[in-house]
Amino acid sequence: MRSSDISFFLAFCIEQYKHRHHLTGEQAMQTLDEHGVLDYLARNYEPLHTQSAQWIMEDIDDYISNRQ
C-alpha cells in the first residue's frame, strides 16, 4: 500500500461526502476532521477502498453518528 493510494482514496471520500451532503469543501473537511473520519478512513484503507462509494458514505455517516 502506498501513501499516494491512501491520499487518493481520502480525496475521493471527501468529494463524495461533500456532494452527498451538499456541502462546500471547507464544510466537508471541517465535519470529517471534527469527527476523526479521515484518520478512520486511512487506518481502514485496505477493507474500505474495495467497497462502493454508497457503502463508504453510509459507513462514514454511521461512524459520525456513533461518535456524537
Side-chain angles (χ1 to χ4, degrees), residues 4-54:
S4 62
D5 293 337
I6 294 174
S7 296
F8 179 77
F9 175 66
L10 293 178
F12 170 79
C13 291
I14 293 163
E15 285 298 309
Q16 292 293 312
Y17 187 82
K18 177 179 88 169
H19 291 294
R20 177 181 176 99
H21 293 284
H22 310 286
L23 302 171
T24 66
E26 184 176 339
Q27 291 169 324
M29 282 300 299
Q30 182 178 358
T31 299
L32 297 174
D33 186 47
E34 183 178 305
H35 297 286
V37 174
L38 298 180
D39 291 335
Y40 165 75
L41 293 172
R43 282 192 320 270
N44 294 285
Y45 168 79
E46 283 300 325
L48 291 176
H49 85 280
T50 62
Q51 303 301 317
S52 70
Q54 181 177 342

Side-chain angles (χ1 to χ4, degrees), residues 35 37 40 58-68:
H35 297 286
V37 174
Y40 165 75
E58 290 171 6
D59 190 51
I60 290 172
D61 289 340
D62 288 345
Y63 185 82
I64 290 172
S65 292
N66 290 332
R67 294 184 58 92
Q68 290 181 335

